[in-house]
PDB file of all heavy atoms in Angstrom:
ATOM      1  N   ILE A 284      57.973 196.654 104.733  1.00 97.00           N
ATOM      2  CA  ILE A 284      57.717 196.529 106.235  1.00 97.00           C
ATOM      3  C   ILE A 284      58.929 195.928 106.850  1.00 97.00           C
ATOM      4  O   ILE A 284      59.269 194.698 106.498  1.00 97.00           O
ATOM      5  CB  ILE A 284      56.470 195.731 106.492  1.00 97.00           C
ATOM      6  CG1 ILE A 284      55.287 196.252 105.694  1.00 97.00           C
ATOM      7  CG2 ILE A 284      56.122 195.695 107.950  1.00 97.00           C
ATOM      8  CD1 ILE A 284      54.072 195.320 105.508  1.00 97.00           C
ATOM      9  N   LYS A 285      59.568 196.647 107.574  1.00 97.00           N
ATOM     10  CA  LYS A 285      60.669 196.139 108.331  1.00 97.00           C
ATOM     11  C   LYS A 285      60.232 195.241 109.633  1.00 97.00           C
ATOM     12  O   LYS A 285      59.277 195.606 110.267  1.00 97.00           O
ATOM     13  CB  LYS A 285      61.571 197.368 109.046  1.00 97.00           C
ATOM     14  CG  LYS A 285      62.294 198.131 107.929  1.00 97.00           C
ATOM     15  CD  LYS A 285      63.603 197.550 107.748  1.00 97.00           C
ATOM     16  CE  LYS A 285      64.235 198.252 106.488  1.00 97.00           C
ATOM     17  NZ  LYS A 285      65.131 197.316 105.655  1.00 97.00           N
ATOM     18  N   ASN A 286      60.916 194.173 109.828  1.00 97.00           N
ATOM     19  CA  ASN A 286      60.470 193.281 110.822  1.00 97.00           C
ATOM     20  C   ASN A 286      58.937 192.938 110.639  1.00 97.00           C
ATOM     21  O   ASN A 286      58.055 193.131 111.681  1.00 97.00           O
ATOM     22  CB  ASN A 286      60.779 193.677 112.174  1.00 97.00           C
ATOM     23  CG  ASN A 286      62.280 193.817 112.361  1.00 97.00           C
ATOM     24  OD1 ASN A 286      63.055 192.932 111.968  1.00 97.00           O
ATOM     25  ND2 ASN A 286      62.715 194.943 112.946  1.00 97.00           N
ATOM     26  N   GLY A 287      58.585 192.476 109.475  1.00 98.00           N
ATOM     27  CA  GLY A 287      57.278 192.316 109.065  1.00 98.00           C
ATOM     28  C   GLY A 287      56.726 190.865 109.375  1.00 98.00           C
ATOM     29  O   GLY A 287      57.598 189.976 109.609  1.00 98.00           O
ATOM     30  N   ALA A 288      55.424 190.637 109.210  1.00 98.00           N
ATOM     31  CA  ALA A 288      54.877 189.355 109.246  1.00 98.00           C
ATOM     32  C   ALA A 288      53.647 189.174 108.322  1.00 98.00           C
ATOM     33  O   ALA A 288      52.913 190.214 108.050  1.00 98.00           O
ATOM     34  CB  ALA A 288      54.517 189.006 110.679  1.00 98.00           C
ATOM     35  N   VAL A 289      53.383 188.051 107.975  1.00 98.00           N
ATOM     36  CA  VAL A 289      52.139 187.684 107.187  1.00 98.00           C
ATOM     37  C   VAL A 289      51.464 186.576 107.822  1.00 98.00           C
ATOM     38  O   VAL A 289      52.022 185.587 108.153  1.00 98.00           O
ATOM     39  CB  VAL A 289      52.522 187.298 105.736  1.00 98.00           C
ATOM     40  CG1 VAL A 289      51.231 187.052 104.899  1.00 98.00           C
ATOM     41  CG2 VAL A 289      53.457 188.361 105.134  1.00 98.00           C
ATOM     42  N   LEU A 290      50.152 186.788 108.145  1.00 97.00           N
ATOM     43  CA  LEU A 290      49.349 185.659 108.669  1.00 97.00           C
ATOM     44  C   LEU A 290      48.503 185.035 107.706  1.00 97.00           C
ATOM     45  O   LEU A 290      47.746 185.734 106.912  1.00 97.00           O
ATOM     46  CB  LEU A 290      48.421 186.175 109.793  1.00 97.00           C
ATOM     47  CG  LEU A 290      47.635 185.252 110.722  1.00 97.00           C
ATOM     48  CD1 LEU A 290      48.580 184.326 111.435  1.00 97.00           C
ATOM     49  CD2 LEU A 290      46.643 186.082 111.633  1.00 97.00           C
ATOM     50  N   VAL A 291      48.770 183.753 107.507  1.00 98.00           N
ATOM     51  CA  VAL A 291      47.884 183.018 106.515  1.00 98.00           C
ATOM     52  C   VAL A 291      47.000 181.918 107.201  1.00 98.00           C
ATOM     53  O   VAL A 291      47.259 181.319 108.015  1.00 98.00           O
ATOM     54  CB  VAL A 291      48.889 182.231 105.492  1.00 98.00           C
ATOM     55  CG1 VAL A 291      48.179 181.265 104.502  1.00 98.00           C
ATOM     56  CG2 VAL A 291      49.845 183.148 104.954  1.00 98.00           C
ATOM     57  N   ASP A 292      45.677 181.927 106.602  1.00 97.00           N
ATOM     58  CA  ASP A 292      44.718 180.947 107.034  1.00 97.00           C
ATOM     59  C   ASP A 292      44.198 180.267 105.867  1.00 97.00           C
ATOM     60  O   ASP A 292      43.558 180.854 104.993  1.00 97.00           O
ATOM     61  CB  ASP A 292      43.587 181.673 107.894  1.00 97.00           C
ATOM     62  CG  ASP A 292      42.675 180.593 108.553  1.00 97.00           C
ATOM     63  OD1 ASP A 292      42.902 179.364 108.259  1.00 97.00           O
ATOM     64  OD2 ASP A 292      41.692 180.995 109.212  1.00 97.00           O
ATOM     65  N   GLY A 293      44.463 178.841 105.697  1.00 97.00           N
ATOM     66  CA  GLY A 293      44.031 178.223 104.498  1.00 97.00           C
ATOM     67  C   GLY A 293      44.671 178.761 103.250  1.00 97.00           C
ATOM     68  O   GLY A 293      45.855 178.970 103.121  1.00 97.00           O
ATOM     69  N   GLU A 294      43.795 179.164 102.325  1.00 98.00           N
ATOM     70  CA  GLU A 294      44.436 179.642 101.054  1.00 98.00           C
ATOM     71  C   GLU A 294      44.538 181.196 101.017  1.00 98.00           C
ATOM     72  O   GLU A 294      45.061 181.717  99.966  1.00 98.00           O
ATOM     73  CB  GLU A 294      43.363 179.437  99.836  1.00 98.00           C
ATOM     74  CG  GLU A 294      43.250 177.863  99.553  1.00 98.00           C
ATOM     75  CD  GLU A 294      42.460 177.636  98.216  1.00 98.00           C
ATOM     76  OE1 GLU A 294      42.169 178.614  97.595  1.00 98.00           O
ATOM     77  OE2 GLU A 294      42.427 176.436  97.870  1.00 98.00           O
ATOM     78  N   SER A 295      44.303 181.870 102.117  1.00 98.00           N
ATOM     79  CA  SER A 295      44.217 183.326 102.044  1.00 98.00           C
ATOM     80  C   SER A 295      45.114 184.018 103.179  1.00 98.00           C
ATOM     81  O   SER A 295      45.435 183.463 104.077  1.00 98.00           O
ATOM     82  CB  SER A 295      42.684 183.871 102.348  1.00 98.00           C
ATOM     83  OG  SER A 295      41.906 183.294 101.359  1.00 98.00           O
TER      84      SER A 295
END
Side-chain angles (χ1 to χ4, degrees):
I284 305 162
K285 291 271 168 208
N286 297 315
V289 185
L290 184 64
V291 174
D292 186 358
E294 291 193 2
S295 304

